[in-house]
Amino acid sequence: MEIQTALVCLVAAFLTPLEPQRWYGLTMELAGDQMRVSLDEKPIGYLKSPGLAHLTKSHFHFGVSGGDVLFDDVRVWTAAPIR
């Protein structure tokens, strides 16, 4: 299998035009093997990948390309599972 083909289900890029000098509200929700991304409370991306729920996954990071970005007021919390 070609490497690029294998990576399709492991990587997500949500290309969204942003205005310079403007603050945005970004929400990333991880639940099991699914991730949902919203910008200013509007959905902009979704990924379902077994790697998101891998038992040894111990970190998460932001990836940004194309310029400088400032992050402020970053909060992380664990949600209770829905029963």
Side-chain angles (χ1 to χ4, degrees):
M1 178 185 322
E2 185 180 316
I3 291 175
Q4 292 293 57
T5 304
L7 290 176
V8 168
C9 71
L10 304 176
V11 177
F14 308 123
L15 304 176
T16 304
L18 302 175
E19 297 174 29
Q21 305 299 315
R22 178 174 176 234
W23 286 101
Y24 292 90
L26 177 71
T27 304
M28 300 177 79
E29 299 173 79
L30 291 156
D33 65 350
Q34 299 175 65
M35 177 177 66
R36 180 173 50 191
V37 180
S38 300
L39 190 67
D40 287 341
E41 300 184 16
K42 295 178 185 141
I44 62 166
Y46 172 81
L47 173 68
K48 182 176 176 78
S49 171
L52 293 172
H54 196 277
L55 294 175
T56 62
K57 184 170 186 69
S58 62
H59 68 279
F60 176 80
H61 63 271
F62 296 101
V64 178
S65 62
D68 295 329
V69 174
L70 299 173
F71 292 98
D72 185 29
D73 196 21
V74 175
R75 292 179 274 173
V76 178
W77 63 91
T78 301
I82 297 174
R83 297 186 194 269

